[in-house]
């Protein structure tokens, strides 16, 4: 029996591919890098022992010696896993939009970024989107809760208007409770005045 486990050393799950063939000598597990280049870790345990994979394209044969890894070249990965990778669902994508202080108007920089986000979302046939509003710590907690909700609603309306293929948008408001940049109370911090958008 072969098992995999990911040590809790990284914030994302590792991307692991495994191939099991009738000829056991050819069965192997390989660890892939994420799209952004990050590489997780995975422990592969067989009856013979445990091996930690922590490098991109590092693999181990199931019937091989523990610790005896190899580097799977791109051609081999494409040959063995190309069809599975092509049929995998798109990964969620997240981005932030930032607001001018005290209102629901986007900063000029964020407004300029919107077409790029629309293009990304349009690549998904039936996107499911969540929008979470945030504020900095200027003002009362109650006012910031209302303001962050207003930012989330304004962003959701913008998405609905420009992306008719969007089926579901979930709105949430965190007020000043979930700061991107920790600050004391009554601190104007532009990076905390944001909405977080995630498209699945």
């Amino acid at each position: 029996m072969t098992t995999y486990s990911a040590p809790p050393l990284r914030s994302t799950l590792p991307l692991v591919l495994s191939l099991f063939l009738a000829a056991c000598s050819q069965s192997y597990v390989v660890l892939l890098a994420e799209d952004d280049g990050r590489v997780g870790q995975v422990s592969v345990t067989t009856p013979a022992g445990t091996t930690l994979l922590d490098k991109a394209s590092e693999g181990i044969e199931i019937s091989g010696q523990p610790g005896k890894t190899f580097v799977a070249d791109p051609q081999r990965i494409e040959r063995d896993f190309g069809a599975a990778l092509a049929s995998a669902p798109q990964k969620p994508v997240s981005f932030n939009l930032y607001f001018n202080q005290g209102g629901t108007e986007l900063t000029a920089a964020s407004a300029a970024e919107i077409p790029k986000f629309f293009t990304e979302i349009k690549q998904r046939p039936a996107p499911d989107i969540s929008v979470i509003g945030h504020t900095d710590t200027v003002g009362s907690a109650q006012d910031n809760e209302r303001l962050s909700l207003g930012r989330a609603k304004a962003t959701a309306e913008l998405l609905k208007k420009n992306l008719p293929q969007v089926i579901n948008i979930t709105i949430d408001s965190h007020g000043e409770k979930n700061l991107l940049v920790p600050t004391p109370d009554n601190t104007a911090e532009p990076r905390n005045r944001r909405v977080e958008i995630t498209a699945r």
Side-chain angles (χ1 to χ4, degrees):
M1 179 179 180
T2 301
T3 62
Y4 317 122
S5 63
L9 301 177
R10 305 276 181 163
S11 59
T12 60
L13 294 175
L15 181 57
V16 181
L17 297 174
S18 58
L19 178 69
F20 296 98
L21 301 175
C24 293
S25 62
Q26 296 179 352
S27 300
Y28 68 100
V29 175
V30 63
L31 178 65
L32 300 183
E34 298 290 339
D35 293 340
D36 61 6
R38 290 179 297 166
V39 180
Q41 295 181 336
V42 65
S43 294
V44 181
T45 301
T46 69
T50 298
T51 299
L52 178 67
L53 304 180
D54 60 1
K55 301 177 183 65
S57 302
E58 186 177 26
I60 184 167
E61 292 192 9
I62 300 302
S63 60
Q65 297 176 5
K68 187 178 180 181
T69 63
F70 64 90
V71 177
D73 62 59
Q75 292 77 21
R76 182 176 183 180
I77 292 173
E78 176 60 28
R79 181 194 68 209
D80 292 340
F81 303 109
L85 289 170
S87 64
Q90 288 181 291
K91 296 177 181 176
V93 60
S94 298
F95 39 86
N96 292 341
L97 294 176
Y98 298 93
F99 292 81
N100 293 322
Q101 187 168 2
T104 59
E105 181 184 24
L106 289 169
T107 64
S110 282
E113 292 283 299
I114 286 177
K116 182 176 70 178
F117 300 149
F118 285 169
T119 299
E120 177 68 33
I121 294 173
K122 285 178 180 176
Q123 295 176 9
R124 298 160 191 275
D128 184 2
I129 296 177
S130 69
V131 181
I132 303 174
H134 302 269
T135 69
D136 60 20
T137 59
V138 174
S140 70
Q142 293 82 359
D143 287 346
N144 283 331
E145 185 68 30
R146 285 191 289 270
L147 178 57
S148 66
L149 181 60
R151 288 171 175 167
K153 287 182 175 178
T155 302
E157 287 302 314
L158 183 66
L159 294 171
K160 289 177 183 175
K161 181 179 177 182
N162 291 278
L163 300 168
Q165 72 272 36
V166 172
I167 296 174
N168 184 43
I169 299 180
T170 303
I171 297 172
D172 199 358
S173 171
H174 288 187
E176 61 180 54
K177 294 180 291 190
N178 188 8
L179 301 175
L180 182 64
V181 180
T183 69
D185 196 21
N186 286 316
T187 301
E189 170 51 62
R191 290 170 290 179
N192 288 332
R193 300 193 295 265
R194 70 197 192 279
V195 293
E196 298 173 350
I197 304 172
T198 300
R200 299 176 182 82

